[in-house]
Amino acid sequence: MNSFFQRPGDTVRARGGIHSGKRGVVVATAAGRTKVRFNGSSGTRWVRTGNLRSTGSGSLSWILPVKAALVLFLVIPGLRFVVVHLWTHGGLDGFATALGNQMGQAALAWGHLITTDPLGALLHLGFLGLVSRLMHW
């Protein structure tokens, strides 16, 4: 399975190039390249990420669908706001004002939530922290 989400400590197998077929451990990643310490060799080598294949049961094949769902979860409300504004106003006239008003109302709603339901606010912040952590995985 190809994986473009390799992290330090992941085990990989090279395909193509002089290290083809060799197993190694990811040491670092940067700009589409991965630094790998191959078995039986001294030192590390930079390899194009596309030339590596994740091995072992620890590969994170579920992370891409989760990230796609989170992006939809975060993007759809914004798209809905734009579509409703375009539908009701027939254009982008007053869009900045409407967006500013909506952001102000959201800030007031957060203040109301924190004062009336602090546990719910903490749970919501915890959920947002989890989403942030998953997006950077």
Side-chain angles (χ1 to χ4, degrees):
M1 172 182 126
N2 288 335
S3 177
F4 296 104
F5 304 107
Q6 290 153 349
R7 301 174 59 107
D10 288 352
T11 57
V12 294
R13 180 185 300 262
R15 51 186 188 116
I18 60 172
H19 297 290
S20 184
K22 290 187 179 179
R23 289 181 183 259
V25 176
V26 174
V27 177
T29 59
R33 299 182 67 80
T34 305
K35 194 173 194 176
V36 179
R37 180 178 301 120
F38 287 104
N39 295 345
S41 66
S42 61
T44 59
R45 303 268 190 239
W46 284 99
V47 180
R48 274 189 279 150
T49 303
N51 288 341
L52 296 174
R53 198 175 112 168
S54 292
T55 61
S57 61
S59 62
L60 299 174
S61 60
W62 55 271
I63 198 71
L64 188 60
V66 168
K67 281 187 174 186
L70 290 174
V71 166
L72 287 175
F73 174 78
L74 295 172
V75 169
I76 286 178
L79 288 176
R80 182 185 176 277
F81 178 79
V82 171
V83 168
V84 167
H85 183 81
L86 289 173
W87 183 267
T88 56
H89 297 287
L92 291 176
D93 293 338
F95 181 75
T97 304
L99 185 62
N101 286 338
Q102 191 66 32
M103 291 171 67
Q105 287 178 2
L108 289 174
W110 262 104
H112 180 73
L113 180 66
I114 289 171
T115 57
T116 59
D117 187 13
L119 182 61
L122 283 175
L123 287 173
H124 192 84
L125 287 174
F127 174 73
L128 292 176
L130 176 67
V131 167
S132 173
R133 181 69 183 139
L134 283 173
M135 291 305 288
H136 289 100
W137 199 339

